[in-house]
Amino acid sequence: MKQNFGIDIWGDDNFIIDNDDIRINHACKPALLEITEDIRSQGYRGPILLRFPHLIKKQIDKLFAVFKEAQHEFEYKGKFHALFPLKVNQYPNFINHLIKVSQEYQYGLEAGSKAELIIAMAKTPLTAPLTVNGFKDKEMIALIFIAAMCGHNITVTIEGLTELEAIMDVYHEFNKGRSKPVSPDIGMRVRLHSSGIGSWAKSGGYGSKFGLTSTELLEAYDILSKHGLADRFTMIHFHIGSQMSEINPLKKALREAGNIYAGLKQRGAQGLKAINIGGGLAVEYSQHSSSQDRNYSLKEFANDVVFLMQEIARSKGVDEPDIYTESGRYIAASHAVLIAPVLELFSQEYHENGLRLKEVNPPLVQELYELYKTIKRSNAKEYLHDALDHMESLLTLFDLGYIDLEDRSNTEILVNLIIKRAIILLKDEDTNELKRLESRIQERYLVNFSIFQSLPDVWGLGQNFPVMPISKLSQKATHPASIWDITCDSDGEIAFDASLPLRLHDISVEDEEYFLAFFLTGAYQEVLGMQHNLFTHPTEIVVTFDESGKYRLQDTIDAQNLMDVLDDLDYDTDEIDRRLKKMIVDSKLMDDMQKQDILGKLYLYLSENSYLKTIQAIITPKIKGHK
Ligand SMILES: *Cc1c(COP(=O)(O)O)cnc(C)c1O
C-alpha cells in the first residue's frame, strides 16, 4: 500500500508529495516544511494557521466555470450568481483575500446577523449581490434599508410572517415623503417537506427552524401586494443543510422549491426571477477510500441544478429562474492549513534501552528477549502469539508475587517491541488480529495545539480532518497514532481508529522537529473554535505568490498574548499586573538583583501566548514585541 495519507482522496491536487516533502502544487511549489521553518525562524512557536488565497480563487473559479458550462450545455436562459455565506469564515484575512481574488465574478456576500451584515455592507462591491438570511429585528431590517439606500444590490430573505410585518413598517418609515420609494429586494425562505441528510439536516425539512409553509407563502405574497411591493419579491430561497453527502435530497428539494417558484409565478408574482439554493456542497475530508464523504461531483451538482430548474420552468411555462448559490464550506475549507509541532511521544519508554535485564532473568522474560532478538517474517505470527501468551503468564506471576517490578517492566517493553516488529513484518496481511494489536501499541503524539480552538468539529461532531506529517514522507510511517492536544481535557484527543488508521513516524523530538499538518480547516472551525483552557486562535499568516512564483508571507496576526486573553474575559488586567509586581517586590525570598531579573522574565512571558515552547526555545527565547 502506498503511503500518501489519502492525499489523492482529499487533496484535490492542491498538494504534492515529493520525496520527504509535501509541497504546495502552485507557482514555485514550496514545501510546507520550508514555509514552516521560515515562519519559526522569526520566533513563532506553537501552532500556525496558513492561509492560501490561490486556493480560495481556485474554488471560486471552479464553481463559476462549472455552472457556466452547465448553462451553456442546457442553453439555460437564467443567470448564475454566487455568494459567500459569512458564517463559514468571517476572519478578515480570509474575507479580504476572497474579495480580492473574486473581482471578475460579481461574487457577493451573505449575512446572517447584524455584525455579518456590517461586514457585507462594507466589503461587497455595489454591483455584486448581497443577501441577508436568518432572524431579524427592526434594527437589522433598518440596516438592510440603509444598505439599499446606499445602492447595494441587496435581498432580504424573510423567515416568517412577523418579520414581513416589520419590513413593511420599516419600508414606510424610510420612504416617508419620498416620491421614489427605496426597498431591498425580498426573498422568501421556503419550508420544504424534503430534508437533507447528515449532521446538518435540521436546516431543511418541516421541522426546520427556518422558512415559510405554503400557506404562509401565499399570505406573505398577499401582504406584499397590499403594500404595493409585489414586484420587489424576487427570490425563493432554501438551504437543506451543510455537507450533504448525497445528491438525492438536493434533487428532491430542487423539485419542490422549483414547483413553488413556478406556482408563485403562475399566481402573478411578476418580480420573482430567482431561486437561491443555499449551500450544502460537500467537501471530501476522508483519508480512506472506504469512508468517503461525498457521492457526487461538482459537475453533477451543477448539471442537476440547471437541468431540474429548466425542466420545471418548461413544464410550467414560466421563465427559467436565475440561480443563486451560497456554498460556503466548498469555497473556504481548502484555503487553510494548520501546522502544529509534536512535543512528545508518550510511549517512548517502550524502547530497547529502557530494558533493565538482570544477570539472571525469570525464564519467561529471557524467552521473550530471545523472541524479540530472533523474530523474522517467517516466524512472526508464531512468535507474536508466544509473546502474548508469555505476557499473560508473567502478569499472573507478578500478581502472585513471583516476579518483581523490574521483571514486569521488562515484560511490557519486550512484548510491546515484539508486537511492533510483528506488525511491520506482517504488514501485507491485513488481519483483524493485527488491527487489534495496532490499537494496543498505539503511540500517543502530544501536539502543540488545541482541538477545541482549532478543530472544534472533531469534538462537537466527530468530524475527520485530513492529517499528515510534513517531513520524512519517503520513510515508512509505522506507528499507529493517536493525537493528543495540550488542553487538560480528555476530549482533546483524536483517537486511533484501527479501521481508518493513521500511522506516523517514529521520531525522537529531542533530536528533530516533527510537524503535523491538518488540512481543510478553513470552513467553520475558526469562529466555532473556543478558548477552552484559554488557548487562543493560533498565529495566522497569509501565503501569496509573486510574479516570479516565489512565495511571500504577509498579513501576520499574532496569537493573543496572555494578558489580552484575560482582558477578553473582562479581568482587570491592570490590577492583575499590579498584584503580580507587588508580590515580587514584597517577596522575602529574593534579593533586589533577583527581583529585577524575575520581573523581566515575567513581562516577557506575559507578552507571549498560551501555547507551549520546546525546551530549546525556553532556553533561548526570541523576544517579540508586546502588542
Ligand atoms: C450555512 C448556510 C450556507 C452555507 O452552507 P455550506 O454548507 O457551508 O455551503 C448557505 N446558506 C445559508 C442560508 C446558510 O445558513
Side-chain angles (χ1 to χ4, degrees), residues 520-583:
L520 302 174
T521 64
Y524 295 104
Q525 303 317 296
E526 292 183 58
V527 96
L528 282 175
M530 53 205 120
Q531 309 216 348
H532 192 21
N533 263 163
L534 302 187
F535 289 104
T536 65
H537 192 271
T539 295
E540 56 170 284
I541 292 175
V542 177
V543 185
T544 55
F545 295 87
D546 65 19
E547 300 85 49
S548 68
K550 282 218 239 351
Y551 78 83
R552 262 187 46 193
L553 304 177
Q554 61 182 87
D555 304 335
T556 306
I557 301 180
D558 283 21
Q560 273 189 312
N561 70 38
L562 302 185
M563 280 310 211
D564 287 344
V565 174
L566 298 184
D567 195 44
D568 272 3
L569 296 186
D570 282 336
Y571 274 99
D572 182 343
T573 46
D574 288 339
E575 194 213 35
I576 291 182
D577 195 275
R578 269 197 309 278
R579 282 206 186 191
L580 291 175
K581 201 166 169 183
K582 189 166 165 8
M583 280 183 339

Side-chain angles (χ1 to χ4, degrees), residues 6-19:
I7 201 171
D8 51 333
I9 302 168
W10 58 266
D12 199 25
D13 290 331
N14 293 339
F15 302 93
I16 41 173
I17 293 177
D18 169 27
N19 289 318

